[in-house]
Amino acid sequence: MAHAPAERPPEETLSLWKGEQARLKARVVDRDTEAWQRDPSFSGLQKVGGVDVSFVKGDSVRACASLVVLSYPELKVVYEDSRMVGLKAPYVSGFLAFREVPFLVELVQRLQEKEPDLMPQVLLVDGNGVLHQRGFGVACHLGVLTELPCIGVAKKLLQVDGLENNALHKEKIVLLQAGGDTFPLIGSSGTVLGMALRSHDHSTKPLYVSVGHRISLEVAVRLTHHCCRFRIPEPIRQADIRSREYIRRTLGHLGVSPAQRKDGSQKEQRPNACPQGGPGAPADQGRSPECDGRDSSSDPKAPEPGFQEQKDQQLEGTGHQEDSDLWPPSPAWETFPKTQKSGLMLLSLAPSSTQTLLSLGRVAVRPGESSSPGCCTGRGCQGSAHSPHTEEQARA
């Protein structure tokens, strides 16, 4: 049965979260730190990672966190780890990290322990980095806590510091004629917060790329483009596919309420991404597409009619995917240095749910092996899935 939406945290908790973001923000490095980042062809880059969290429709507690690692430049999946998690913090625009990052950090830790040779050299995150209300989005948070280079990739514009998805912004989008074309996102403060990127020749909707940690904006944009077979970068796309497929395999009919099963609708029975809400809205009431970009603006993200069917058709087709939106708990911080822990420890201040971890899944995939039951080998995967978004959805 679906669980009731979590309540908005008290102002005291939000104030503590803001303080923690400010403290961790001081540790963000917005320049290149690795040798491969300074090479025009990214020589030395061999493994790129992607993370995503997918939600069970109508359920404010259960979700699936997924980490994938792909070979570069082949973009073949060589490792994946998906697990069902119990969300403890509600969704509040601008604070997505306190809801999701503990599980993503844990996945990174598990990979480090089980398959250290497959640790990614960079993570692409479905959300924003410094393009954020306080300059510290989920990609920054995850980067600082794991000390991995991170890139924020949002599907919708987070309207902060004077940025607006207005007529002028749309005119600039029209001028993006080919894959790789960009324009800067300059706030009223004069700060370049990110770049709008046309990621694919056949896509008309841009991505919004921002620095997460230990990478420059120029390199972040260029690498994101190189990882795009379709609109969404392959590491994020594959993480999304696998998290959704894991929900379907693990929950089946458990992913829907008795009323939905009685109705007999296949569309309702299939676990789907749970819409999440606008700025300051409680979790699972819709996440605003731009409020969080997935760190993006302010309207709740709910799939349009036919949204899932369109996604499935795109995945099953042989041609390009036009604007594929897809694509759209014991935290891991226990073993990280003490300086990295407090940001996740504050999660205990949020209203807790009675649900905890429901299931656990992990698989390492060697090159040439099948990478997901019923899915694909990783390269050019055509499975069907996409995630919810607001901070989460500017992931939209």
Side-chain angles (χ1 to χ4, degrees):
M1 180 176 293
H3 301 275
E7 297 180 358
R8 177 182 172 86
E11 291 303 316
E12 180 182 5
T13 297
L14 296 181
S15 179
L16 288 170
W17 283 357
K18 288 179 182 178
E20 188 63 10
Q21 286 178 330
R23 186 185 71 80
L24 294 176
K25 179 182 176 181
R27 293 166 51 189
V28 170
V29 176
D30 60 359
R31 64 182 183 278
D32 297 325
T33 61
E34 311 302 308
W36 62 263
Q37 296 168 336
R38 303 183 184 96
D39 187 283
S41 61
F42 297 134
S43 176
L45 177 61
Q46 298 178 329
K47 298 179 290 294
V48 295
V51 294
D52 189 62
V53 178
S54 290
F55 299 81
V56 179
K57 184 177 181 180
D59 193 323
S60 66
V61 174
R62 290 179 295 181
C64 179
S66 182
L67 164 68
V68 298
V69 180
L70 281 66
S71 62
Y72 186 88
E74 300 84 3
L75 299 180
K76 292 182 178 179
V77 176
V78 296
Y79 174 91
E80 69 173 283
D81 186 0
S82 297
R83 66 178 304 176
M84 295 303 299
V85 298
L87 301 171
K88 293 182 176 295
Y91 171 71
V92 181
S93 178
F95 299 99
L96 176 63
F98 293 93
R99 179 170 168 86
E100 298 184 3
V101 162
F103 309 115
L104 301 180
V105 171
E106 185 175 44
L107 290 175
V108 173
Q109 176 197 347
R110 282 150 53 95
L111 171 55
Q112 177 65 57
E113 294 173 349
K114 302 297 182 182
E115 298 279 354
D117 292 342
L118 295 178
M119 279 292 289
Q121 294 161 276
V122 59
L123 282 175
L124 277 68
V125 182
D126 189 8
N128 285 307
V130 298
L131 176 55
H132 179 264
Q133 291 92 328
R134 287 167 294 281
F136 192 74
V138 63
C140 297
H141 211 131
L142 181 60
V144 168
L145 293 181
T146 62
E147 277 304 319
L148 288 173
C150 282
I151 301 171
V153 183
K155 305 180 191 76
K156 296 189 178 180
L157 176 65
L158 179 58
Q159 301 184 60
V160 297
D161 193 16
L163 293 176
E164 293 185 57
N165 189 17
N166 54 20
L168 177 60
H169 183 78
K170 292 173 182 175
E171 288 176 9
K172 292 180 180 179
I173 291 175
V174 172
L175 296 176
L176 301 177
Q177 295 296 305
D181 287 355
T182 64
F183 65 83
L185 302 170
I186 305 175
S188 298
S189 64
T191 303
V192 177
L193 299 173
M195 297 285 283
L197 165 69
R198 179 163 179 165
S199 58
H200 195 280
D201 287 342
H202 298 292
S203 176
T204 58
K205 295 179 181 178
L207 298 176
Y208 297 96
V209 181
S210 56
V211 169
H213 185 50
R214 294 181 60 187
I215 197 166
S216 67
L217 180 57
E218 184 271 332
V219 170
V221 171
R222 195 155 49 88
L223 179 58
T224 298
H225 179 228
H226 285 188
C227 288
C228 289
R229 285 205 171 105
F230 305 104
R231 181 191 176 213
I232 304 305
E234 201 67 7
I236 293 175
R237 195 175 80 93
Q238 292 297 335
D240 177 85
I241 288 171
R242 283 155 173 73
S243 61
R244 287 174 157 287
E245 179 61 25
Y246 192 79
I247 287 176
R248 295 185 184 110
R249 293 200 318 265
T250 304
L251 298 186
H253 287 308
L254 295 177
V256 296
S257 68
Q260 288 173 323
R261 292 199 297 273
K262 185 176 181 180
D263 179 70
S265 166
Q266 179 65 25
K267 181 176 180 181
E268 289 181 337
Q269 288 178 11
R270 292 179 67 184
N272 202 345
C274 180
Q276 302 294 323
D284 309 302
Q285 289 186 356
R287 305 178 184 181
S288 89
E290 297 152 3
C291 237
D292 290 318
R294 237 186 100 177
D295 255 311
S296 81
S297 95
S298 60
D299 300 327
K301 175 191 180 186
E304 300 105 351
F307 181 76
Q308 179 65 50
E309 290 79 1
Q310 292 170 4
K311 297 290 182 267
D312 292 341
Q313 291 169 8
Q314 288 171 339
L315 286 170
E316 293 168 2
T318 57
H320 70 268
Q321 297 181 8
E322 173 70 14
D323 295 335
S324 171
D325 286 337
L326 195 83
W327 356 99
S330 214
W333 45 261
E334 284 296 345
T335 60
F336 281 87
K338 290 183 178 180
T339 56
Q340 297 181 5
K341 292 183 181 180
S342 55
L344 299 177
M345 294 173 71
L346 285 174
L347 286 168
S348 62
L349 297 171
S352 294
S353 153
T354 56
Q355 290 291 318
T356 54
L357 303 181
L358 298 179
S359 179
L360 177 65
R362 181 195 309 113
V363 58
V365 183
R366 300 299 182 186
E369 295 180 348
S370 175
S371 56
S372 177
C375 188
C376 65
T377 60
R379 181 166 184 168
C381 176
Q382 299 296 304
S384 62
H386 61 271
S387 305
H389 307 292
T390 35
E391 217 174 337
E392 305 180 348
Q393 245 197 319
R395 312 190 227 186

